[in-house]
Amino acid sequence: MYLIGTDIGTTGTKTVILDEKGNLISKASKTYKVNTPKASWAEQNADVWVDAFIQTLKESVEMANINPSEIAGISLSGLYGGAGVPVDKDMNPLYPCLIWMDRRASKETQWVKENVSQDKLFEITGNYVDSYFGFTKIMWIKNNLPDVWKNTYKFISPKDYVIYKLTGELSTDYSSAGNLGGVFDIRTKNWSEEMGKILGISIDKLPEKILRSKDIAGYLKQDMAKLTGLKEGTPIISGGIDAPMAQLSAGVLNEGEHVFMAGTSTCWGTLLYDKKPTTPQLVNYPYVVDEDHLLYTFGGSATTGALVNWFIDEFGQMEKTFGEQSGYSPYELLEMKAKKVPLGSEGLLALPYFMGERSPIWDPDARGVIFGITLYHKKPHIYRALMESAAFSLRHNMQTAKESGIKLNPDCWIVGGVANSDLWTKIFADVTGYNMIKLSDNIEAPLGDAFLVGLGTGIFKKPEEIKNWIKIETTVNTNKDSFDKYEEYYKLFLELYNNTKEIMHKIAKL
């Protein structure tokens, strides 16, 4: 039997087909944009995900050249959709989805800080308050779009919206519910009526069914079977949020193991077994396997790959043009030059807060900074400084976890598009002090999705069987001398934010 996994990401959707031994049979992807109608706003239309899913599914099945009857099922993971898609009773979207990157709910966030006990919020939900969390975006919709609020039947996460389109069944999973924050009780693993009343959020506007990630959410409808070319009745697995699914794709099932998912943004996470969340500075919600015992706790930077994407879009035209002629990508060309720049970018220090920042500073008004620039510095210096800034942010999250009592193994798995950069992977290892393990296929979240198909349909009996799928490409070890040198730059990184944050906040208000 063949197992299909699809990850609906922030800037693209990827579908893979694997066999029961975890071998990659085919894959397909489709990119799309995030709509940013105003500064700090980020939204997407739900149909973009549906179209991308159907296209990548059909392409991957055609490339695999397999019989639809041999497909055991499909599982989906998705970006954190913030508020989710507000739909009416006919399940038609009423407004774009305010995704995780959206920061418009600043007033709602401030209201919660002033009116709700942080200790109470953390005790019930395991999380803090920030405009990252979906419950603040739901409050924004209620306060600013009364007609949308009035007509909203449910708020549905991106992958759950696609699952509804496929099956006609409405549900969500524990990781998606937990990541909403604010109204999810991490102790009972259900919606909190108490927090709903305090925050003014009607719990009946949230999905009633909360499933385990391996559960069958429904079966492929006849019309969608015809559209996709798959067999009617194909099981559709509930899946989960992309970050813990990428964690599962590295075979992580135990405390101490940790994974750095490095793409457009960063999600670095680890696991706690039968323990309460250790700090509100990190995000906490149930894992995508063994949800009764395993807690996924992670830190996330808003911009990682987005930093170099922005730099190349704005300043890399020469590299783009030359790359088209030479066969190299602009990333490869700039990385070749950045490799020649000494550690520390010759006195250039950057803050990567180009879309505000999530953990551990939780500052939506933080801004990007390139500090120490002189007429001597060239493009490769800035490019490397941006790379180093993402690594400093990763270390900040790791340090926050350690200070809260979480123990981490000396090796960290790295997955995602950023892992394709040898230089950046080396910088991450040298800045953090943790060796970086790269997987051979670097499939990330869709591999975890595909495994859940096997777990949910009975092909696999226990989560530990995913270990048989894990293939290591290489381990990039920390250089002790480089780590020691980066120590001073890391201290300056923390100091730079602390000394400029008040100015950042003033600029944000202007």
Side-chain angles (χ1 to χ4, degrees), residues 155-217:
F155 289 93
I156 312 175
S157 80
K159 63 93 179 172
D160 292 321
Y161 180 80
V162 176
I163 288 175
Y164 174 80
K165 287 291 189 179
L166 297 175
T167 66
E169 298 289 339
L170 178 58
S171 64
T172 191
D173 71 285
Y174 287 112
S175 68
S176 298
N179 207 14
L180 192 67
V183 290
F184 181 79
D185 192 327
I186 203 165
R187 304 163 303 180
T188 63
K189 296 182 178 59
N190 209 336
W191 304 120
S192 170
E193 292 282 355
E194 179 184 3
M195 289 307 303
K197 291 176 181 177
I198 291 172
L199 298 170
I201 295 175
S202 305
I203 298 301
D204 62 4
K205 290 185 183 292
L206 304 173
E208 295 176 13
K209 286 197 296 185
I210 306 178
L211 306 175
R212 298 179 187 277
S213 291
K214 71 172 184 177
D215 287 348
I216 296 174

Side-chain angles (χ1 to χ4, degrees), residues 324-338:
E324 291 172 358
Q325 299 169 351
S326 64
Y328 288 98
S329 75
Y331 301 94
E332 291 172 313
L333 293 171
L334 277 166
E335 185 166 319
M336 289 176 193
K337 297 176 182 177

Side-chain angles (χ1 to χ4, degrees), residues 345-367:
S345 302
E346 295 194 285
L348 207 57
L349 187 63
L351 297 181
Y353 311 139
F354 282 42
M355 283 294 290
E357 187 54 300
R358 294 187 285 174
S359 63
I361 64 173
W362 295 111
D363 186 353
D365 292 329
R367 293 293 182 264

Side-chain angles (χ1 to χ4, degrees), residues 122 126 186 189 247 252-258 268-280 282-298 401-402 404-408:
F122 182 60
I186 203 165
K189 296 182 178 59
Q247 185 110 342
V252 168
L253 299 168
N254 303 303
E255 284 193 342
E257 297 176 324
H258 50 123
W268 167 85
T270 187
L271 299 176
L272 299 177
Y273 187 85
D274 278 346
K275 292 179 182 176
K276 295 180 179 180
T278 60
T279 172
L282 300 175
V283 182
N284 303 279
Y285 52 77
Y287 195 38
V288 290
V289 293
D290 198 8
E291 291 90 339
D292 290 337
H293 301 286
L294 288 176
L295 184 75
Y296 177 63
T297 182
F298 85 95
K402 289 172 63 180
S404 75
I406 295 175
K407 295 181 180 180
L408 302 174

Side-chain angles (χ1 to χ4, degrees), residues 228-403:
T228 60
L230 268 61
K231 184 179 177 181
E232 181 183 354
T234 299
I236 309 297
I237 306 299
S238 183
I241 294 290
D242 56 1
M245 203 64 74
Q247 185 110 342
L248 180 64
S249 76
V252 168
L253 299 168
N254 303 303
E255 284 193 342
E257 297 176 324
H258 50 123
V259 175
F260 171 36
M261 185 182 81
T264 304
S265 63
T266 280
C267 288
W268 167 85
T270 187
L271 299 176
L272 299 177
Y273 187 85
D274 278 346
K275 292 179 182 176
K276 295 180 179 180
T278 60
T279 172
Q281 287 180 282
L282 300 175
V283 182
N284 303 279
Y285 52 77
Y287 195 38
V288 290
V289 293
D290 198 8
E291 291 90 339
D292 290 337
H293 301 286
L294 288 176
L295 184 75
Y296 177 63
T297 182
F298 85 95
S301 176
T303 49
T304 306
L307 296 171
V308 295
N309 291 343
W310 166 82
F311 186 82
I312 287 172
D313 286 344
E314 301 302 326
F315 308 107
Q317 190 56 51
M318 183 179 72
E319 285 76 14
K320 286 183 177 180
T321 301
F322 183 75
E324 291 172 358
Q325 299 169 351
S326 64
Y328 288 98
S329 75
Y331 301 94
E332 291 172 313
L333 293 171
L334 277 166
E335 185 166 319
M336 289 176 193
K337 297 176 182 177
K339 281 181 180 178
K340 299 176 182 178
V341 176
L343 177 156
S345 302
E346 295 194 285
L348 207 57
L349 187 63
L351 297 181
Y353 311 139
F354 282 42
M355 283 294 290
E357 187 54 300
R358 294 187 285 174
S359 63
I361 64 173
W362 295 111
D363 186 353
D365 292 329
R367 293 293 182 264
V369 172
I370 298 173
F371 183 81
I373 195 164
T374 70
L375 294 177
Y376 169 75
H377 292 106
K378 305 294 187 293
K379 277 200 293 188
H381 289 91
I382 301 174
Y383 195 78
R384 182 179 180 113
L386 291 173
M387 286 178 149
E388 290 175 336
S389 74
F392 293 139
S393 179
L394 173 61
R395 178 171 173 178
H396 198 184
N397 279 293
M398 290 174 161
Q399 194 67 36
T400 300
K402 289 172 63 180
E403 290 172 357

